[in-house]
Amino acid sequence: MIDDLRRSPNALAPHYSRFRVAERLLLTGHSHQAWPDVALDGQVEAFTDAAEAVDAKWERAFAKAERVRGGFRRLLDDPTADLALDANTHALVVRFLSALDLRARPRLVTTDGEFHSVRRQLARLAEEGVEVVRVPAEPADTLAERLAAATDARTSAVLVSAVLFETSRIVPGLAGLAESCAAAGVELLIDAYHALGVLPFSAPRSAWVTGGGYKYLQLGEGNCFLRLPAHAAGLRPVITGWFAEFAALADESTPDRVVYAPGGDRFAGSTYDPTSHYRAARVFDFFDEQKLTPDLLREISQHQTGLLADAFDALNAPDDLITRDRTTPRTAFAGFLALRSPHAGRLRQALAHRGVSTDSRGDHLRLGPAPYLSDDQLEAAIATLGETLS
């Protein structure tokens, strides 16, 4: 199948006609991949159910939410996972943080390479007196060990990404980190956003895992999850929405304490727009129909990022202008090619002016391919980069 995806036009491209992926050089696949056309069918179905059932639509909407959980469970290699859903990972991470006993253990350990939803929130908590320790993300090969070494008896949680969002570097050793955290009574939260949909992923059962479908999974906005470990059953998040007691609303008694639903609903929020779940359910079905398994997606990604890297090297650009990590094995990277340049922001703007969509984070220009792009398109994008550099 991968040969069909390398050709021009790519065999998947006709399924993305509304995003015109065959006509555009969309190298933002690590940030916002195109949606397959069936995603629109899901959105129409959501409107139709609302129009037909009005307030009774929620039974249908909850069924869609469960299908979305099923899709994430398959990607997590955890068929019985307890999952809380929400529109974004920030809402879920905040509930996670609110369940920690920060009075007794007022210390959080993280890295200086976390995405902004965690970086900003922890920075604000630090302003209010929570001790936040930021371990340098590089070198990634030793990050897990250094995080474990930074924990102590005052540590409530460690928060780390499975793949670093600036560089695409896979963080090894998370299983060992999970063992260290469990032994010390420290919670471990793994951000899997840049892992799911681009490489096979399985997290230790003792760890919390968050992520979503806005990037590689093509689910669009509003589709994020928090996987709970088994010991989460006794936790009571302070930040809590009324959906977390949805199953108990029929009980007319007045409990002495705030009650929580079992399983992932313990970390549920409140009323949400179910359209995102209708769309996601259709896209998950599409991935199944096209046999876009984690193993195949990894094979596609490795081919595409390798092609981009080789084409970039052939430009022979001066390292002080733009370069990449050539010392780390390519298998240690996930779904995009990170190029380092002091002019990353200007290059992104110049490429956009020439019809190539990319993005930049600090001094990294990020090139994110996607399964629906052909080899010719990737080579054309690098050729445009060469013209821009010159």
Side-chain angles (χ1 to χ4, degrees), residues 126-198:
E127 291 179 345
E128 295 301 317
V130 176
E131 182 183 358
V132 177
V133 177
R134 294 178 181 83
V135 174
E138 299 293 344
D141 283 337
T142 62
L143 177 55
E145 290 83 356
R146 289 182 287 115
L147 287 168
T151 62
D152 60 18
R154 301 175 66 252
T155 305
S156 284
V158 173
L159 301 91
V160 61
S161 293
V163 175
L164 300 175
F165 84 100
E166 284 187 316
T167 63
S168 191
R169 187 70 162 81
I170 299 170
V171 177
L174 294 180
L177 175 59
E179 291 179 5
S180 297
C181 287
V186 175
E187 303 294 346
L188 172 62
L189 176 68
I190 299 173
D191 180 349
Y193 222 133
H194 273 287
L196 297 187
V198 76

Side-chain angles (χ1 to χ4, degrees), residues 217-373:
L217 297 177
Q218 305 174 10
L219 307 183
E221 301 88 345
N223 290 292
C224 292
F225 70 88
L226 177 68
R227 190 199 74 176
L228 282 60
H231 66 267
L235 296 182
R236 305 175 73 248
V238 175
I239 308 300
T240 182
W242 70 277
F243 271 36
E245 62 177 10
F246 200 84
L249 289 178
D251 186 352
E252 297 297 330
S253 64
T254 303
D256 294 332
R257 304 178 79 204
V258 172
V259 298
Y260 291 84
D265 286 341
R266 174 174 293 268
F267 284 76
S270 297
T271 309
Y272 63 96
D273 181 358
T275 304
S276 59
H277 290 164
Y278 279 80
R279 182 178 63 238
R282 286 295 185 102
V283 175
F284 272 134
D285 288 346
F286 171 77
F287 269 52
D288 289 342
E289 292 161 4
Q290 300 298 322
K291 298 181 173 55
L292 295 174
T293 64
D295 286 333
L296 178 59
L297 291 169
R298 177 59 169 168
E299 183 181 358
I300 295 168
S301 175
Q302 286 281 276
H303 165 74
Q304 291 185 326
T305 54
L307 185 155
L308 288 171
D310 289 340
F312 170 75
D313 289 349
L315 296 177
N316 292 316
D319 285 352
D320 60 350
L321 178 61
I322 189 169
T323 189
R324 70 176 185 87
D325 181 351
R326 296 184 177 90
T327 61
T328 304
R330 292 183 182 180
T331 54
F333 294 95
F336 62 91
L337 176 66
L339 304 176
R340 189 185 294 272
S341 171
H343 313 291
R346 291 174 58 196
L347 284 170
R348 177 190 59 79
Q349 294 176 345
L351 286 169
H353 183 71
R354 292 169 176 260
V356 180
S357 297
T358 63
D359 76 355
S360 60
R361 301 288 185 181
D363 62 356
H364 287 96
L365 178 68
R366 306 191 303 175
L367 309 182
Y372 43 73
L373 296 178

